[in-house]
Amino acid sequence: MSIEGGLQEGKSVMLIGRILPDANRLHVNLQCGSDSEADIALHINPSYEKGSANIVYNTYQNGSWSSKQSTSDSPIIKDKLFVIEILVTKEAYKISANGKPLMDYKHLIPITQVNTILVDKNIKLEFIGYQNSLVVPYKTLINGGLQPGNRILIYGVPNTDSKRVEFNLRHRYGIAFHYLSLFDENVVVRNTSENGKWGAEERSGGMPFIKGQLFQVKISCSAEQYDVSVNDQQAHTYKHRFTKLEDIDVFEVYGELQLFFVHV
């Protein structure tokens, strides 16, 4: 992936994906060009050889590698969803995975020379981009309104002290679908609000989220209901009470969490 204009301070490179189960070594590179001999400003190399799970960081310049640095106890696990975020600062790359800080890697090559992201084929990418984490509370428009067949994807990590994770699908007069997970009560609440009045709650025990652990949520809309899955496991269904789906044009996220990516 090319980065038009090179890297900029204050912005992040973000990757979401899974490592294939038979992979032993792989890499993510920030490079000065795309050819095989290009300088590599930042080489991130999770390694699983001999049962270890550590990450090596390095720079390749003028045909040779610099002194490598490493971190152990990697949060990047084979065949599990992960997020790597690389925040570009004036002094260093601040690297984190699944919301956990890993390394401040000082620049050895000017960031203005970096224009390419190269990802190993052993990583099955779900998203790659050049953007910052999203700020919670978060709100985005659904262009043209919701339609049967639409799917919303959300990636995030609840804080270790999180009380709730909340998603809302809104329209002009209220909330068509309210999905609220309460950690202290170990319960998920679903409801609809119109003209300031809530309907009867649907509640069920069991929390689909774990504090400090990455989640992927899919909210799928059919003609009859919403289907919610968390980390590819079916979690809940909710039949439409507000049926004018085309009027549902806002998606919201609330709670104490890091929010990495939303696609509507």
Side-chain angles (χ1 to χ4, degrees):
M1 172 184 170
S2 63
I3 305 170
E4 294 297 330
L7 297 179
Q8 299 176 22
E9 291 178 28
K11 293 198 70 174
S12 294
V13 174
M14 188 174 297
L15 301 94
I16 303 174
R18 298 176 189 269
I19 294 173
L20 299 181
D22 58 348
N24 287 323
R25 297 174 65 89
L26 55 139
H27 62 261
V28 174
N29 291 342
L30 298 184
Q31 300 190 172
C32 308
S34 58
D35 63 83
S36 59
E37 296 300 318
D39 286 349
I40 303 172
L42 174 62
H43 172 73
I44 302 175
N45 173 216
S47 176
Y48 302 90
E49 294 179 339
K50 300 179 181 179
S52 64
N54 65 305
I55 304 176
V56 173
Y57 313 87
N58 212 332
T59 295
Y60 181 80
Q61 189 174 21
N62 299 323
S64 62
W65 291 98
S66 63
S67 298
K68 67 181 180 181
Q69 302 177 49
S70 65
T71 53
S72 58
D73 191 24
S74 170
I76 304 173
I77 301 171
K78 287 184 182 182
D79 207 28
K80 297 286 187 180
L81 193 69
F82 72 85
V83 172
I84 293 176
E85 186 175 13
I86 306 167
L87 174 63
V88 182
T89 71
K90 183 177 181 180
E91 297 82 17
Y93 298 108
K94 291 184 175 291
I95 306 160
S96 62
N98 298 355
K100 175 185 176 181
L102 295 178
M103 168 73 67
D104 287 4
Y105 188 87
K106 291 185 178 180
H107 299 304
L108 300 179
I109 295 176
I111 63 172
T112 53
Q113 296 182 22
V114 179
N115 57 21
T116 302
I117 307 169
L118 186 67
V119 180
D120 189 278
K121 63 182 180 180
N122 285 318
I123 298 176
K124 183 181 179 182
L125 281 175
E126 298 195 13
F127 171 79
I128 182 170
Y130 187 41
Q131 65 170 52
N132 291 337
S133 295
L134 305 175
V135 177
V136 179
Y138 172 82
K139 180 184 293 188
T140 189
L141 295 177
I142 303 171
N143 292 328
L146 201 62
Q147 303 292 333
N150 284 169
R151 184 178 68 175
I152 298 170
L153 284 174
I154 311 108
Y155 297 87
V157 173
N159 298 344
T160 54
D161 61 350
S162 181
K163 301 295 184 184
R164 63 176 175 146
V165 175
E166 177 182 344
F167 308 125
N168 293 321
L169 283 165
R170 299 188 66 100
H171 54 92
R172 183 177 179 183
Y173 303 105
I175 301 174
F177 182 36
H178 172 68
Y179 187 89
L180 173 64
S181 297
L182 298 169
F183 283 98
D184 290 348
E185 299 181 39
N186 193 34
V187 69
V188 177
V189 178
R190 287 89 62 201
N191 209 338
T192 295
S193 173
E194 288 191 59
N195 298 315
K197 295 182 179 181
W198 287 100
E201 288 185 346
E202 295 183 16
R203 299 170 67 95
S204 57
M207 172 62 63
F209 306 105
I210 300 174
K211 295 179 182 181
Q213 292 195 17
L214 180 67
F215 66 76
Q216 176 207 66
V217 172
K218 297 178 185 177
I219 302 176
S220 300
C221 177
S222 69
E224 298 80 23
Q225 64 190 27
Y226 300 104
D227 292 283
V228 182
S229 66
V230 181
N231 297 331
D232 293 326
Q233 298 296 315
Q234 181 71 31
H236 299 96
T237 60
Y238 186 80
K239 293 190 179 299
H240 296 307
R241 300 183 191 177
F242 182 84
T243 57
K244 295 181 180 179
L245 300 180
E246 66 276 8
D247 288 348
I248 301 170
D249 58 0
V250 173
F251 177 71
E252 300 174 327
V253 179
Y254 294 94
E256 300 78 31
L257 69 150
Q258 296 182 66
L259 186 63
F260 297 115
F261 179 71
V262 172
H263 176 73
V264 299

